[in-house]
Structure formats: structure tokens, C-alpha cells
Amino acid sequence: MTYFNSKIPFFTLKTSLLSTCIIGLVACGGGSGGGGKSSTPASSSAASVAPSSSSAASSIVPDEGMTMLKTKDTQWVKASGTPILLKGTNLGNWLVQEFWMMGQGGNGVHDQCTLEAKLTERFGYDEKERLIKLFRDNWIKERDWDQLKAFGFNVVRLPILWNVIEDEKNPRTLRADAWHYLDWSIAEAKKRGIYVILDLHGALGGQTPNDHTGCSGQNKYWINTEYQDRTKWLWEQIATRYKDEPAVAAYDPLNEPWGSTAQDMAVRVEELYQTIRKIDSKHIVMLPSHYGDIEVYGDPVAKGMSNVAFELHPYPGLFGDRPGDSHYDIHRDWLKCGQTGTSGVCAWNTKLTALKTPMLMGEFQPWQSAGLELGGKIGRATYDTYASYNWASTSWAYKLVSVAGGQGKGTWGMVTNEINTSLDTGVGLITKASTWDCNNWDSTFAEACAKKATTITTGGTGDKTYYLVVKTGANDGASPDVTFDSISLKNTTTNQELLANGSFGASGGWSELSISGSLNFNYNSTDASKAPTGSEGAVMHITRPAGVTGEINGALYQQVTLKGGQTYNFSGVFKGNSSVNTWAEIYLIEEAPVAGKDVVDNAGKVDFTTAPIADIEALFKSYGEVGYDVNSGLAKWLVTDEHNDVFDYPARPTNLKLVQTGNNVALTWAAVTGTGITYNVYRAASAGAKGTLIAEGLTVTNFADSGLSEEETYYYSVAAKNSIAEGYASAQANTQLLFVAVPAKIEAEKFTAMSGIQTEACGDIGGGTNVGHFETGDFIEFKIKADTAGNYAIDYRLATQTGSTGFEVLIDDVVVDTQAVAATGGWQTYITKTSAIFALSAGNHTLRFRSIGKEWNINWFEIKKQ
């Protein structure tokens, strides 16, 4: 079995003078916006809450070294009150394992708990302890602290599992080596001027059902008082140990405590705050958000809490957020506050300024799959934008190891292992995409974002039987919406096609496999909007069947015969559409698929259920010896003093005018100043949507469109483009608004006006798009008409993870219904609620949904006559 045992030195980079800026007192460099050079985001209050790079010379004071940190209004400051901008990353998968970050897992071993249980079962408790120590001694070594320094960082967030400190066999008893890894981390960090945030990533019992707590499927912390009390005991020990340690920047009492309500979270976190404060009054204590909710804490000062900071984990563009939008647009909107200049980080700055409380952006991931250069620029712009608001920031994550290795277009790890060429035979997993690797993908297999298809080479001689398996699935609460076409496997010498019916249109040649749950396989989908680019005719469309809940995982497969020692070309196209938390993987395997058993590629992996102890030791040692492939974009852009032009886009066009004559439209707009400016014109079928590019590269400020339907409303916008990027689109101009005749079922994203909301991929039956991200006062609006007067009611299709005070419904500015929404079981777990009956007169009306609370989603609504 091959491991990553290369001993080529890891990449290092001499820190430039800018590292002093990054680690010191001011934000410097950074992205600009709208063609300017300022490193401060578009916010009227930005200058008042953060020093600008131009003031660096006057702001620098003699370095007081590493002192105890504290909070001052919205700032993190040193003992003297001098502000410090903390920038760093998380040391994930070290003291809490997450198997996706180490390229392992299978046969029931998928997290730290199942690994430790299996090792104990096979080798005994003491040997399990030795092997886990071997892993931890190798995942992070001194070379990693040097690399963290080379990135210009001055803080790390250290995720910890509870039983790193507490003896799991003897409750409320410290392990003999309880402080080994924490003390060592603090010592190595101090040598390099790096602070450490101690993060309880996995509490006893689990504060969520997720694997990053160490044990997936638990979530027992909230209902077990023994677990809660022992967690308090644990923080008493940590506070006692480190109360006088200046290199500890803060205590993070519970990572992502989202397994219960926001109110439960606030109660438990405040209990842990009080527990810490009885021992340690000096260190900053984090107040984690409940998803995006910090309001549940109220005003910390008014509640008698001191030296606290809020914590947020924003992952814009990931996990089903904004399908179809580019990586650049998503992060620009977040960092530059959107078209209005009030959303994204600006909205958070407004909240925090009012509360006079600092922020830690405790996890974020702006560079993954963006391409190394663009990812590096956006990564730098993200750090600098957060710093401009005085927010501390720690990305997720420093290190990731995979079987294949290599950065590609950018992995979740700032460093990863070098490409493992010994496994590149094309057999096993041969192509892969997922919504975590590239949201809303549409590509050939050869350009797949997670695993590119290559030439397949078979070993041995003579005929060999294989099975080509096309596997798709989604997590509980999510829906796959994946299409495939033109799947081909050809002998490179004879050009003989080995697959039957790879172009679909019928089910011939394929067998279906259920691994968990069930999937709907449509062999003859003709929906052009779902078809992958490059497909022809009917395609295969895979979705979640109505009424099926839980994780779903299944496949199509067919048997093929290949000749040993020969090569084969494998090709095809696939598309992710509006999928959420979904994977699409294709395998070539020797064993016939079996119902109920997952299809995985074990090449380069260790089967912890059967592997000799020597193989497990070799794997764990390899994590400390593997040669690193450092993300070159981050290595450059995090420390360079070169101007970051990533957001030097042109201004929005203004004064867009539309004149409609029958089925023709004439557009005009004001010119945008700048060098090399051209214009792109977009047409959408709904308000707020960017729509389809219908003209590009225009050098004039007018455009004519024709052949329109007078039975549709069209929304036009214009964006200016320069050599860097396309800027924000203009305000929309629309053709005549058409009123929807009711009774009718109306998709929520078909609004004619809105404020504040966002659309996202929908996990409800049928997929599509839902409207969400509601804050108090946000609204969506529709034009309706009733042919006859009468009594009506509305069915609403709603979802919320946390519960919400909901919304009110207005017709012509009169409230006709109010709906609170109890927790439905997930952000994409939908229920149908019905309104009170209301009277509606004949004629045209404006219908508005106005948010009272926040954190609720709507997929559709149906107006019914009673």
C-alpha cells in the first residue's frame, strides 16, 4: 500500500515587510471596490471603526510584545489598549479528526469515535491510545508552525475534543498528558509571535449531530445534565491552567452549538462564561452565533458580561448558497456589501457597532476551487476586509490531505500533500463533482472539479470484468438535481465503444442500485434547462422521490469487459443544477455492486477494520513526512505589498431607461468612466435575478431587443466591464408588469419587487429555488388579479431550522394574515401552513410578504378561493 512518504522540503516564503502590517496595528493592502484603491469596504461607517492603511506610519508604536488581549468597544486590543488585527487559520483535523480532511474513511469508520472504537476493539485500549498519539504527533509538527508564520499569521484557532483533556474512563479526572498538545502549541506559537484561541470543538455528548464534534449522530449535550456539568468542569480546568497565559487570545466555549435552539445555546454559553469568569477574569470569551443569530444574547454589556466577542462562521457560496453565481460575484457581494452597499459585512458591522462588541470570523473559506491566483487574491481581500472592521479572522483550514494530492484549483487546505502519481491508473474513482467542491457545476468529466477523468489503464493480461458505477446522493434534508449524458468508454486502439446506452433516452443497458434510501432515475429527461453543456437529446436526470427522507445514495451501473494492459478513454458530461449537499461520482470497480453497500474507492486508503497495525502506523507517520503542495496564490497574496486589484471593477451604470413598443424594447443608460469600459446587457424573467446575457462587449450606451412576448414581464439590467472584472449591474428596468390571475400557485422567486432577501437552491420536493435570508423588514412582493370578489386563503410552503416569528401578509398595504413558523427540522425541510380566510375584491392587487422575524425560507405559495 502506497503512502505519502516524500521528504521533499515544504514550501517556505520569506515574510515581506507587509507581515508587520498583518501582525501589527493596521490593515494594509487589500481589495478595492468600484475602481478605487481603498482597502476599506463600502461602508459609511468603516472609517470610524478601522484605521486605514494610509495612517500606518503615524499609528505604529513601539512593539510591546505578546500581552494579554482584551476587548475595547469593537476592537481586539493589547494590554496597553493598542489595537491588534488578528489574522490566521484553524488547525483542523488534529485534536479532533474529520475524515474528509485526511483522505480516509470506510467500512463504518468515519469519525474519531468510530476510529477509536475500532482500534480499541482490535488492539486494546492502550494500543489505541498509542496510535492516536502517533497520529497527533505527525499531523502538526514544527514545520507547520514555520509555514503558519510564512503565511504572515499571528493567530491560530485550535479545535479540541473534550477527551484530549478529560480521562474518558475517569470522569472529572485529567488525563496524564492532558496539557501536552495545548502546552506545546502555545510554546511553538509564542516563539513565532502567534496567539492561540482555545476552541472546544467537540463537547462531551456532542453539541451538534455532525462529525466535527468527534462523534456524528449524537447531539446529546443539550439533554444530558451530566454532560453539561462535565463541560463546565472541563472549562474550569482550562481556565485554571491558562488564566495567566498571554499567548492565549481567547476561550471559545462551544463550537457551532447548533444542535438545539438559539435560546438553549445562549443559556449554555452564558453558563460556561460564568464558569470561566469565576476563575479567569482576564481572557476574552467567545459568544458563538446560532447560525447567524447573535441577537439571542441581547446586549452583553447590559447583561453584565465583559471582555467578550461574538463569533460567526460565514461560508458564502458553499452548502447550496447562491447556485449558479460565480465564485467572484459571491465573495464580492459579501465583502463589498452588495449592490446596495448595505448587505454582507456592512450589515454585520452595523450590528456590532451598535453593540460595541468585537467579532471573530472563526471559520470561512474564500479560495477553494477558485483557481490559485484568484483564490489567493480573494483570500487576501477577505482577511483585509475583516481587519478593516477590526474583526479577528481564522480561516478553515490550514491542512488537508487527500488520496490523490495536489492543490488543483485550490483545496480547503492552505497546504495539502503533493500529487500521488502512483494511483493515477484511472481505475477506482474515475470522476467526481460535489456541491462542496464546486457548487452548481456544469462540465465534462475531464474537467470535473473534484476528480478529473483521465485515460484508464488496466493491469494484467486477458479479459477482465469491471463495473462502471454512476453514483449520486445527498445528505438528509437535501435534494440531488443531477443530470448526465454522453457517457462513453472506448478502447484507444480499436475505438470500440464498451458502454451500452450512454446517451440515454431509455433505461436499456443500465441496472439500478439502492445504497441508502432511494433515488428517482429519469432516463428520458428533455428539460433543456437541466441538460449539461455538450449533451444531445434526452439526458439522465436524478432527483429525490417525493416523500423520501434521510440520506439518499444510489447508482446506475453496467458490466463491461476490458482487456488487461490496454488503455481506454472515458468521457461524458454532467451538471449539478440546483443540487444542495450532493455528490456525483463515477467508479470503475472489479466487484459487482451490492444493494445496501456503498461503492467507494479504497486505493490509497487504510481499512481500519482489517489493516495490520504496521499499515496504520505507516499512514499516521506519513502525515508528518509528506511533501507539501502549498497554495501558491495564498503564499503570495497573503504577504505581498503588491496592490490587490481583484475588486477594481467599474461602477454601476445609472439612469437605465426602457421604452417598450409592442414586442420591442429600446434601452439607454449613462456612460461609466474608466479605461477600456464595455457593457453587458442582461434580461431576466423575474425581479432581482440577473438573468441571461443577451449582449456583451458593447461600446455604446444603447441596445435594442425584439421578439418579446407581450404575455411576459421582462427585467433588464446593464453592467460595465473592464480588464479586471464586470461591475455590479444597474438598477433594473422592466416591461409592463403583468398581474397573475388567482387562484394560482406562485413560486416565491417570481416576485416583482423585493428588499434584502436572497434566493438559493431548494431542497424541497421538486428542487428548484426558494427565497430566504430574511431579516426583519425584508419583503417580497407580487402582482395579482382576482377576476371575481370572494373569500380566499393562502397555503405557504415554509422551512426553518431555528423557528421564526415569521411574517405578515399585506394586500394593498393592509395586513390580512400573520404567520409564525415553528422549527420544521431543517432549513430545507418544508411544511405547508394555511392562512386565515380573507376577503379579496375583484381587480388588480399588490401582495407583499413582510418579514417580522428572520431565519425562514419560502418555496411557493398557493392562493385558493374558498
Side-chain angles (χ1 to χ4, degrees):
M1 191 167 288
T2 303
Y3 300 106
F4 313 116
N5 56 10
S6 169
K7 296 187 179 180
I8 298 173
F10 68 98
F11 182 92
T12 58
L13 181 68
K14 184 179 291 185
T15 305
S16 75
L17 291 175
L18 189 64
S19 297
T20 305
C21 255
I22 291 175
I23 295 174
L25 309 179
V26 296
C28 40
S32 60
K37 301 293 184 182
S38 170
S39 64
T40 302
S43 169
S44 59
S45 60
S48 65
V49 298
S52 67
S53 57
S54 62
S55 63
S58 60
S59 298
I60 293 177
V61 297
D63 184 9
E64 58 193 292
M66 297 185 75
T67 74
M68 197 78 73
L69 301 185
K70 58 183 180 179
T71 65
K72 180 182 179 183
D73 291 331
T74 61
Q75 296 178 321
W76 298 67
V77 300
K78 291 190 171 186
S80 66
T82 304
I84 180 170
L85 302 182
L86 296 173
K87 302 182 183 182
T89 191
N90 279 265
L91 300 186
N93 194 58
W94 181 28
L95 303 182
V96 188
Q97 290 175 320
E98 298 186 36
F99 272 50
W100 67 275
M101 297 182 70
M102 52 193 276
Q104 298 297 317
N107 286 342
V109 178
H110 52 79
D111 58 22
Q112 180 124 20
C113 282
T114 52
L115 173 65
E116 292 195 20
K118 181 57 65 175
L119 294 179
T120 301
E121 173 191 319
R122 294 187 63 203
F123 307 119
Y125 181 82
D126 289 344
E127 193 66 356
K128 179 269 292 188
E129 288 284 286
R130 184 186 70 84
L131 290 170
I132 294 300
K133 183 178 186 302
L134 183 66
F135 168 84
R136 289 172 175 162
D137 287 348
N138 281 279
W139 186 260
I140 295 294
K141 304 184 79 169
E142 283 192 30
R143 65 169 181 167
D144 297 294
W145 293 101
D146 290 337
Q147 184 62 64
L148 290 163
K149 181 67 173 179
F151 280 128
F153 289 153
N154 64 346
V155 67
V156 295
R157 183 168 175 257
L158 183 59
I160 306 163
L161 187 62
W162 67 274
N163 64 4
V164 170
I165 298 170
E166 183 180 0
D167 187 336
E168 60 191 357
K169 288 187 170 183
N170 299 288
R172 295 179 173 84
T173 302
L174 292 172
R175 290 173 56 96
D177 61 350
W179 308 113
H180 172 71
Y181 292 105
L182 275 66
D183 283 354
W184 180 76
S185 296
I186 292 168
E188 292 298 319
K190 286 175 75 172
K191 291 177 188 176
R192 298 162 178 85
I194 296 174
Y195 285 91
V196 178
I197 297 171
L198 300 179
D199 157 41
L200 184 56
H201 217 71
L204 176 61
Q207 69 275 20
T208 78
N210 299 321
D211 65 336
H212 54 64
T213 63
C215 304
S216 59
Q218 285 198 117
N219 201 33
K220 297 177 181 178
Y221 170 82
W222 307 101
I223 59 174
N224 190 311
T225 55
E226 169 70 8
Y227 294 165
Q228 294 166 12
D229 289 344
R230 285 169 63 184
T231 302
K232 294 175 190 175
W233 174 89
L234 187 73
W235 275 109
E236 289 173 349
Q237 311 315 303
I238 296 171
T240 300
R241 181 76 173 186
Y242 298 115
K243 61 183 179 181
D244 297 316
E245 177 51 67
V248 173
Y251 300 138
D252 197 347
L254 279 177
N255 175 68
E256 296 183 356
W258 302 342
S260 188
T261 66
Q263 291 71 28
D264 281 350
M265 176 198 72
V267 169
R268 299 300 164 218
V269 171
E270 289 173 24
E271 285 179 352
L272 294 174
Y273 166 85
Q274 297 297 342
T275 297
I276 292 168
R277 281 291 177 256
K278 291 176 183 177
I279 297 168
D280 184 346
S281 61
K282 303 173 185 176
H283 278 100
I284 296 169
V285 178
M286 305 310 307
L287 303 179
S289 67
H290 192 269
Y291 296 96
D293 184 357
I294 61 172
E295 289 82 359
V296 68
Y297 294 106
D299 183 346
V301 175
K303 298 178 78 169
M305 303 174 80
S306 61
N307 219 24
V308 296
F310 290 119
E311 181 175 354
L312 190 68
H313 293 179
Y315 285 101
L318 296 173
F319 311 115
D321 182 36
R322 294 184 59 174
D325 287 345
S326 72
H327 193 99
Y328 180 92
D329 285 350
I330 289 167
H331 287 277
R332 178 182 64 178
D333 287 354
W334 169 246
L335 297 173
K336 307 305 294 182
C337 307
Q339 290 189 348
T340 64
T342 59
S343 61
V345 296
C346 287
W348 279 99
N349 179 56
T350 300
K351 291 181 183 181
L352 295 165
T353 301
L355 291 169
K356 296 183 178 180
T357 304
M359 172 71 89
L360 166 67
M361 291 298 191
E363 295 181 18
F364 56 95
Q365 175 45 261
W367 64 78
Q368 180 258 351
S369 294
L372 300 183
E373 180 71 2
L374 178 60
K377 287 184 173 184
I378 293 178
R380 172 62 184 273
T382 302
Y383 278 111
D384 284 353
T385 299
Y386 294 162
S388 74
Y389 292 116
N390 298 296
W391 301 341
S393 55
T394 51
S395 62
W396 192 275
Y398 167 68
K399 179 176 177 178
L400 178 143
V401 170
S402 66
V403 170
Q407 281 288 350
K409 293 184 177 181
T411 72
W412 280 69
M414 305 182 78
V415 303
T416 190
N417 51 305
E418 294 174 320
I419 294 175
N420 187 3
T421 57
S422 66
L423 298 176
D424 194 16
T425 65
V427 178
L429 176 65
I430 55 178
T431 195
K432 176 184 177 181
S434 77
T435 55
W436 299 280
D437 293 297
C438 48
N439 198 28
N440 201 51
W441 75 87
D442 181 7
S443 74
T444 64
F445 295 162
E447 293 300 321
C449 61
K451 170 73 174 178
K452 293 177 171 60
T454 61
T455 301
I456 295 169
T457 303
T458 56
T461 59
D463 290 348
K464 302 187 71 173
T465 298
Y466 289 90
Y467 296 86
L468 186 92
V469 183
V470 180
K471 187 177 83 168
T472 300
N475 290 347
D476 185 15
S479 289
D481 184 12
V482 181
T483 48
F484 295 86
D485 197 31
S486 306
I487 303 178
S488 173
L489 181 63
K490 290 184 177 181
N491 186 299
T492 57
T493 301
T494 66
N495 206 36
Q496 178 188 4
E497 177 61 65
L498 279 301
L499 293 180
N501 191 26
S503 296
F504 300 104
S507 61
W510 296 97
S511 298
E512 297 179 9
L513 174 71
S514 175
I515 299 170
S516 60
S518 62
L519 292 167
N520 179 56
F521 297 100
N522 181 357
Y523 295 85
N524 191 34
S525 173
T526 56
D527 184 346
S529 68
K530 303 288 187 181
T533 300
S535 62
E536 296 183 7
V539 302
M540 162 57 66
H541 188 195
I542 302 177
T543 56
R544 179 188 289 268
V548 173
T549 60
E551 179 182 281
I552 52 175
N553 193 14
L556 299 172
Y557 70 94
Q558 60 177 275
Q559 180 179 314
V560 294
T561 301
L562 307 183
K563 293 187 179 297
Q566 297 198 14
T567 59
Y568 297 83
N569 286 328
F570 177 64
S571 61
V573 294
F574 60 162
K575 185 178 181 181
N577 296 299
S578 58
S579 297
V580 179
N581 293 345
T582 294
W583 53 89
E585 304 167 356
I586 302 180
Y587 295 83
L588 190 65
I589 58 175
E590 295 186 53
E591 294 185 5
V594 177
K597 182 178 180 181
D598 201 1
V599 177
V600 297
D601 183 358
N602 286 317
K605 291 186 176 182
V606 167
D607 185 345
F608 293 106
T609 67
T610 60
I613 201 166
D615 284 359
I616 298 172
E617 290 175 334
L619 173 68
F620 289 172
K621 288 179 181 177
S622 74
Y623 292 134
E625 299 170 347
V626 60
Y628 281 165
D629 183 359
V630 176
N631 185 306
S632 58
L634 294 173
K636 171 187 174 181
W637 283 103
L638 290 185
V639 296
T640 184
D641 56 0
E642 180 181 341
H643 170 65
N644 185 357
D645 62 4
V646 68
F647 292 141
D648 287 354
Y649 50 84
R652 295 179 73 188
T654 59
N655 203 30
L656 177 64
K657 302 293 185 182
L658 180 151
V659 177
Q660 181 177 6
T661 307
N663 60 0
N664 299 314
V665 159
L667 299 172
T668 60
W669 59 91
V672 172
T673 58
T675 302
I677 299 293
T678 60
Y679 302 97
N680 296 338
V681 180
Y682 293 87
R683 183 180 65 209
S686 59
K690 193 170 186 179
T692 302
L693 177 67
I694 59 172
E696 63 180 325
L698 300 179
T699 56
V700 295
T701 57
N702 58 81
F703 178 73
D705 197 16
S706 60
L708 306 177
S709 169
E710 295 185 50
E711 301 301 317
E712 298 284 343
T713 299
Y714 299 92
Y715 300 83
Y716 291 87
S717 60
V718 178
K721 185 176 182 180
N722 61 13
S723 60
I724 302 299
E726 180 184 271
Y728 280 119
S730 67
Q732 288 183 322
N734 57 271
T735 59
Q736 181 180 359
L737 288 175
L738 300 177
F739 288 73
V740 178
V742 296
K745 180 179 179 180
I746 302 174
E747 294 293 330
E749 70 272 16
K750 294 295 185 181
F751 49 79
T752 57
M754 64 84 174
S755 175
I757 58 86
Q758 294 181 31
T759 60
E760 60 190 2
C762 184
D764 199 6
I765 297 168
T769 303
N770 66 265
V771 175
H773 298 267
F774 284 95
E775 296 283 343
T776 301
D778 291 350
F779 68 86
I780 50 177
E781 191 171 275
F782 305 84
K783 300 297 184 181
I784 61 172
K785 65 179 178 180
D787 290 334
T788 59
N791 291 326
Y792 290 78
I794 304 177
D795 286 347
Y796 315 99
R797 191 68 172 166
L798 305 167
T800 172
Q801 172 80 31
T802 60
S804 173
T805 49
F807 57 93
E808 56 188 5
V809 180
L810 300 87
I811 294 180
D812 301 330
D813 293 326
V814 176
V815 175
V816 298
D817 189 41
T818 301
Q819 291 286 334
V821 190
T824 62
W827 296 115
Q828 294 297 327
T829 302
Y830 284 83
I831 62 170
T832 302
K833 297 191 70 178
T834 302
S835 74
I837 296 173
F838 57 89
L840 186 65
S841 62
N844 294 338
H845 301 278
T846 298
L847 169 67
R848 176 176 286 197
F849 293 77
R850 184 166 63 197
S851 190
I852 298 171
K854 60 179 185 175
E855 297 182 338
W856 57 279
N857 294 336
I858 181 168
N859 183 13
W860 51 258
F861 60 96
E862 185 171 5
I863 303 175
K864 297 179 176 181
K865 192 170 185 181
Q866 300 300 297

